[in-house]
Each structure stands twice: as structure tokens, then as C-alpha cells.
Amino acid sequence: MAILSDVATEVLIPIAAIIGIGFSIAQWVLVARVKLAPSQPGASRSKDGYGDSLIEEEEGLNDHNVVAKCAEIQNAIAEGATSFLFTEYQYVGVFMSIFAVVIFLFLGSVEGFSTKTHPCTYSKDKECKPALFNALFSTVSFLLGAITSVVSGFLGMKIATYANARTTLEARKGVGKAFITAFRSGAVMGFLLASNGLLVLYIAINLFKMYYGDDWEGLFESITGYGLGGSSMALFGRVGGGIYTKAADVGADLVGKVERNIPEDDPRNPAVIADNVGDNVGDIAGMGSDLFGSYAESSCAALVVASISSFGINHDFTGMCYPLLVSSMGIIVCLITTLFATDFFEIKAVKEIEPSLKKQLIISTALMTVGIALVSWLALPYKFTIFNFGEQKEVTNWGLFLCVSIGLWAGLIIGYVTEYYTSNAYSPVQDVADACRTGAATNVIFGLALGYKSVIIPIFAIALGIYVSFTIAAMYGIAVAALGMLSTIATGLSIDAYGPISDNAGGIAEMAGMSHRIRERTDALDAAGNTTAAIGKGFAIGSAALVSLALFGAFVSRAGVKVVDVLSPKVIIGLIVGAMLPYWFSAMTMKSVGSAALKMVEEVRRQFNTIPGLMEGTGKPDYANCVKISTDASIKQMIPPGALVMLTPLIVGTLFGVQTLSGVLAGALVSGVQVAISASNTGGAWDNAKKYIEAGASEHARSLGPKGSDCHKAAVIGDTIGDPLKDTSGPSLNILIKLMAVESLVFAPFFATHGGILFKLF
């Protein structure tokens, strides 16, 4: 028996979640202390650092105007982001309702909508609850996951748009103050999302248990809908937000920087507000929903496998909740880690920003390793069995500790490799920048080569993680390895959300006409955020690969597939089609960004040509029109890629059966991971190569010319090509591979009973 009792487990999980929510509220209160109102003349300065001397005062600038302008710009960004998300959620709400009905009808029809109990799938001697109620509870958990995902994304966006101008104002007092404001705001989102995800899942399990009683097989099978709901919302959030942000970004860069030679975020550029709105809806709301989806799915995959292992058979609630206890420990560990960045060590210089963010990853990983050891020792019996394709495999508690730790450390390796290939502190990006000497073509060639090369080490890390964790604990090992990678999700998301907040802060400083010294500070915050955002994407892709494989294993078990034979024609056609899907999906998303950007470029050009005095700064651009173009394009264009991902498993499973669907899932996983990593890193490298030239921090960078030189223009073109790769196609692909796998698992009972219609006919 485990040391930790069932009662203790029932108390500890919600307490950890509530502590996380409390901590995020505390961070928000601290951010709110930065006032978006001009300080009163002659007001005494406080001792707590919230009223240090300002650069503007030293330079004799008018404080009133600057603060009022910041508040006005922040308002415009917040309004744009809120109206886009509301529009997006209306469309997504319609989809959600239709898909909920599909889940109910498909799963209900497994036993012909019978209300009678039936023999369990894995334990034939036991009776399980009727299929109709499984369908009902799966639908409810799907809606729960979807709503939690939407709320997570929306709250993240609200916090980011609340904090961006406050970060700009704090930058007047020093880079350390601005960093803390941006990081705390990121932490609000990170902890809210991790804690909400855990709490809602835990409450759902306990409510469902009141109906299911001892039928844990049915209970945890219906809980998988939670992961499906989370990921399907993330898909639309990622694709819609990605198209929005990149259409605006590409339009603003091509006309503003390349044609008109004006700086980034110049208030004369009509697309500048849409660009800043895009950072919030794509990188914050989209990323939040994406990582929530990964977290929900890895938890569901682990719970499904555990329910048919000794934990489920013996009704060992503490052992069953091992994945949730790991996540609870993660919240506490991340809370301690966050204090290192905001309270224990103060940042005094620009060069300390990036190391401070990277330390967050190392500290959280090291502390989490100890946390996992503690949870494995307290919550697991010394020996237990895990379901392994029809067999029960004996596993020890230290074996599971090893599985979770391997996922955790593989995540760190992927993060660091991503950073090496995308940060301008290292040679790969500097080589890409150097290639700009001979124009955009060589820049593009070098960037593509860098992206392909950056796939090598992450794939070896994932492969090693899969081999070791599968050898120790079969598919359950892979599921908890994925959970290990995501166990420090609160810190990962804090670092991730910090980037777009800093980016917005820089934009606001430029638009409000603040001193160049403030812009330098916000640029330094943004450059560090860019690299850490690439690290976050690496984590998301790596965890998606493991999650998808764990879900694939659970699907194969549930669908009654004994072996997936690659030489079978049914499987091989699935493999080839599955491997093609990431390319089809990427083509759709890239083309969507291209056509939306085309409209944006035409609109920005039109305004520069027709609004008198716009270039001189006396005319006012029509920001709202650009926001509308981005919104309309992204809403319309997110539907086809979303439909491709959601309908593929349903069509393949129903018409061709579970063998072909197994092939499709395996093919999509294998090719999707490679395409996603290379796309994200290529785009990240081009972006930072451009920033390397702009910053001119080294002799080499200065030799490549100032802003506006031919070399810089070549770098801007590379960055523009990379935008849809790193912020639309790349990040959305990890949702494609997870979502198809979790959807197949949810519909597995239907496919096993009624699937393969075509092969039955011929």
C-alpha cells in the first residue's frame, strides 16, 4: 500500500490548485499597483520602489502626456483583442455544440442507445455502465474541457493587455522594474491556467464517480472528452490567432520597414495596433489554450491506462491520482521558482534578463525532480502492475519516478537546443545574419538549413525518452513522461507570456513617443522574450509528441487492435496519408496568412497614399480598418484547417476502420513533429537574425549595417517569411498530432464496433 491515504490525496490536490490560483491573484495585485495615471506634481516618492525617479523627469518631458498616451494605446489594443476573441468564440461555440451532438450520437450508437449494463471491455466478468451514459458523460467532459480552454485563453489575454502599458511605464524607472512587471503578469496566466486545468479535471472525476461508482474503466474513458475539448478549442485559438497576428505583422513590416523606411511600431503605420493585438490573441490566448490542451490530454492518457491497470482494478484512488499529484507538486515547485525571478534576485542590467529566464527553467526542473521522487515514494505502492496490450506488466515506484524525470529532463534538453538555434548569442543565428550580406535569397537558404538541422537533437531526446519510459512502464510510462515534461507548465507559461507582454510594451513606448533609452530597455526585454518563446514552442512540440504517442497506445488498446502491422496494406495506406497531413495543414495555414497579409499590405499602402500628412505625422491613420481586415480574414480562414484535423479521424475510422486509422495517427505523429520543430526554429532564427543586425551590439553586427541598409532589408524579408512558419503553422502542428490521437481515443468504442464500412463492403 502507498504511504499517502486516499483522504489525504482528496485534500492535497484541490489545496495545491487553490494555492496556485491564490498566488496568481497575489501577482496580479502587485502588477495593479503600477498606476496608469500621471503622478501628481510634488507628490512624495514612496519607499517601496513604486515611485523611483523617472527618465522623463531627468530629461524634462511631460509626464502627463506620456501616461495618457500609454493608457489610450493600451485601451485600443485591449478592445481589439477582446472583440476578436468574442467573434472567434461565437464561431467556435457553434462548432462546439455541433461536435458535442456528434460525440453523443456516435458513442450512444455503440450499443444501440441501450440503457442496460454490459460486460466491461477489459474485465469481461464485471458489468460496466450503459454505453448511452458513457456517451452523455463524454459529451459533458468535452464541453468542460472546451470551456476551461476558452476561459484560460481569454483570461491570459485580459492579463496581458492589462500589463503591457504598465511594463512600459515601469521601464522609465529601470530595466529591473519593467522585467518584474512583465514576468509577474506572465505568472498570473501560468498559475491560473495550470491550477484551473487541475481543479476542473479533479472536480469532474469526483462528480462522475458519484454515478460510476466502482466502474472506473467507464469513468476514465468518459473523462478523455476533457482532453478532446481542450485541444479542439486550442486548435481554433492557435490557427485563428496565428493568422490574425501574422497578417498584421507581415503587412506592417513589408510596407512600413521595407517600403517606407519607418521604424517598427511607428504610430504612422496603420497596421501597428492590429500587430500588437495579434501578439495577445496568437501568442497569449492561443499558446495558453495549446498548453492547457497538452496538459489535459497527457493527464487523460495516463488516467485511461491506469484505470485498466492494478490501480483501477484494486480501486487504489491515490495510485490512480498519481498524474494529478505530479501536477499538484508542479504548481508548488513553480511557485517557489517564480520567487527567484521576482523576489530573491533583482535584475539590475540588461545582460541579466536572459540568464534570469533560463535559470527559471533549470531551477524548476531541478526542484521538480525532487518533487517527483517525493510523490512517487508517498503515492505509489512499491510494486504494482500496468496494462500493456492485453498483459499486466509489473512496475516499481522508482521506475515510474524515472519515467516522469526522463520526460522532465528531455523537455529541458529540447528547450536548450531550441535556444541554441534561435538565440542571436550563438553562431547559428549569427551565420544567418551574415548571409544577409548577399541578399534575401542566401538568408532564406541558411535559415531553412538551420531549421532542418535543429530537428536532430530534439528527436533523439524524444526517441530516448520513449524507449526508456516504454521499457519501464509500457504506454503508461510514456503518458507520465509527457506529464513530466508539462509538470512545470506554470513556469513555462510565465516565461512564454512574458515575451508578448514585453513586445507590446516596446510597441507602446514607440507609439507614445517615449525616449529612445526606454525603447532600448523594452527591446532588451523583448529580445529575451523572443528566445524564451522559442523554448516554449520546443516544449509544446516535444510534449505533443509524447502525449500523442500515449494517446495512440490508449486508442489501440481500447479499439482492440492486437498489433499494428506496418506490412499490412490497410496500415501502410494510413501511414502514407497520415504523414502527408501536416503538409496539407501547413499549406492551408501558410496560404491563409499570405492572402490575409496581401489584403493588409494593400490597405496600408492605400492609407499612406490617400491620407494627407500621414507620412509627416500630421494625419491620423485608420487603425480600426486594419484590425477589421485581420479579424475577418482569420475567422474565415481558420475553418478549413480546423475541419481537416477534426474530420480526418471520423472519416478514416468510420470508412476504413481502426487499422488504417492507427496508420494515419502514426504517420501524422512522425512527420508532424519534424515539420513543427523545423518551422518554429527557422522562423525564430530569421526573427533574431534581424534583431541582431538592428541592435548592433557587436563589431560583427555593426558591420552588417544600421536599420534601413540593404543587409537589414534582406533580414526583414527573411523575418517576414518566417512569421507564418514560427507563429502559425509550426505551433498549430503540435495540436494536429495530439488532437487526432485524442479524438480517435474518444471515438474508439464506435470505430471498434461500426468502423471500416468500406472494407466490409468490398
Side-chain angles (χ1 to χ4, degrees), residues 368 462 499 510:
M368 194 61 207
I462 292 170
E510 182 75 47

Side-chain angles (χ1 to χ4, degrees), residues 725-738:
L725 284 172
K726 79 174 183 348
D727 288 323
T728 312
S729 297
S732 306
L733 277 172
N734 62 52
I735 303 177
L736 171 134
I737 56 179
K738 293 180 309 193

Side-chain angles (χ1 to χ4, degrees), residues 555-693:
F555 160 71
V556 169
S557 302
R558 181 62 189 85
V561 178
K562 291 285 180 283
V563 64
V564 180
D565 180 6
V566 182
L567 296 175
S568 144
K570 286 181 183 177
V571 175
I572 199 100
I573 57 168
L575 265 175
I576 289 174
V577 170
M580 171 274 295
L581 287 174
Y583 293 93
W584 188 1
F585 179 82
S586 298
M588 283 176 159
T589 50
M590 298 278 289
K591 195 156 183 277
S592 301
V593 172
S595 56
L598 203 64
K599 288 180 190 151
M600 187 65 79
V601 166
E602 284 165 0
E603 172 60 19
V604 175
R605 279 181 185 153
R606 183 194 69 75
Q607 290 199 29
F608 272 121
N609 293 333
T610 58
I611 296 175
L614 183 55
M615 209 42 205
E616 293 71 38
T618 52
K620 202 169 187 305
D622 180 1
Y623 297 129
N625 218 15
C626 291
V627 170
K628 187 178 183 308
I629 286 174
S630 256
T631 303
D632 293 349
S634 54
I635 296 292
K636 203 165 74 202
Q637 307 270 11
M638 75 179 182
I639 295 165
L644 172 73
V645 178
M646 299 299 289
L647 295 177
T648 300
L650 288 178
I651 293 168
V652 174
T654 308
L655 297 181
F656 301 96
V658 287
Q659 287 283 353
T660 307
L661 183 53
S662 304
V664 168
L665 295 178
L669 165 63
V670 169
S671 86
V673 173
Q674 331 278 341
V675 179
I677 295 173
S678 63
S680 291
N681 291 351
T682 294
W686 278 326
D687 189 358
N688 275 338
K690 175 202 71 176
K691 284 197 163 63
Y692 175 73
I693 294 171

Side-chain angles (χ1 to χ4, degrees), residues 54-369:
L54 309 177
I55 290 181
E56 266 82 351
E57 288 180 5
E58 295 161 30
E59 297 179 357
L61 291 175
N62 185 342
D63 185 34
H64 267 271
N65 291 350
V66 168
V67 179
K69 196 96 174 73
C70 282
E72 185 191 323
I73 297 161
Q74 180 207 33
N75 231 3
I77 294 171
E79 270 174 28
T82 307
S83 79
F84 167 73
L85 286 182
F86 271 127
T87 313
E88 181 184 70
Y89 293 154
Q90 280 167 4
Y91 281 82
V92 167
V94 173
F95 155 79
M96 213 159 76
S97 313
I98 295 168
F99 206 75
V101 174
V102 170
I103 293 174
F104 181 71
L105 293 176
F106 271 54
L107 294 183
S109 69
V110 171
E111 301 268 333
F113 296 100
S114 147
T115 52
K116 295 189 180 74
T117 57
H118 61 95
C120 297
T121 312
Y122 301 100
S123 314
K124 298 291 182 196
D125 52 329
K126 288 184 184 165
E127 287 290 304
C128 276
K129 297 289 182 191
L132 185 68
F133 287 99
N134 277 5
L136 182 67
F137 280 102
S138 292
T139 309
V140 170
S141 59
F142 166 76
L143 292 171
L144 263 181
I147 292 163
T148 312
S149 180
V150 163
V151 169
S152 302
F154 188 75
L155 286 177
M157 180 279 300
K158 276 289 183 206
I159 290 147
T161 52
Y162 182 81
N164 50 17
R166 287 170 166 78
T167 304
T168 311
L169 293 177
E170 286 294 270
R172 300 179 304 166
K173 302 171 188 169
V175 76
K177 291 275 187 291
F179 170 81
I180 286 176
T181 303
F183 191 80
R184 278 193 171 132
S185 315
V188 177
M189 179 186 175
F191 282 90
L192 258 185
L193 190 137
S195 308
N196 275 346
L198 176 64
L199 194 60
V200 175
L201 179 58
Y202 179 74
I203 291 169
I205 290 170
N206 278 298
L207 290 177
F208 286 18
K209 212 164 80 177
M210 290 160 74
Y211 167 74
Y212 278 99
D214 285 346
D215 175 15
W216 284 19
E217 189 184 299
L219 163 62
F220 290 102
E221 195 175 289
S222 61
I223 283 287
T224 52
Y226 185 70
L228 175 60
S231 250
S232 45
M233 294 308 101
L235 175 71
F236 290 107
R238 256 298 189 207
V239 174
I243 294 168
Y244 185 107
T245 176
K246 291 304 116 183
D249 201 354
V250 170
D253 280 1
L254 282 181
V255 183
K257 286 189 194 167
V258 178
E259 292 178 10
R260 295 283 171 166
N261 230 346
I262 58 176
E264 189 161 3
D265 296 316
D266 191 296
R268 292 171 292 178
N269 193 330
V272 73
I273 293 284
D275 186 7
N276 281 289
V277 169
D279 291 337
N280 294 294
V281 296
D283 294 348
I284 299 261
M287 184 67 171
S289 291
D290 179 4
L291 280 176
F292 166 75
S294 280
Y295 163 74
E297 282 160 338
S298 56
S299 303
C300 291
L303 290 167
V304 167
V305 180
S307 70
I308 48 176
S309 305
S310 62
F311 300 140
I313 296 162
N314 304 332
H315 295 103
D316 171 6
F317 187 72
T318 302
M320 205 50 233
C321 285
Y322 178 70
L324 303 185
L325 286 164
V326 168
S327 304
S328 306
M329 178 58 82
I331 290 172
I332 306 303
V333 162
C334 291
L335 193 153
I336 297 163
T337 310
T338 301
L339 297 176
F340 277 93
T342 55
D343 296 71
F344 299 157
F345 300 108
E346 197 183 336
I347 285 182
K348 297 205 165 50
V350 164
K351 63 176 185 296
E352 294 171 18
I353 300 169
E354 208 167 302
S356 174
L357 290 170
K358 284 186 340 210
K359 270 184 209 148
Q360 285 284 297
L361 292 173
I362 295 172
I363 294 167
S364 62
T365 304
L367 289 177
M368 194 61 207
T369 309

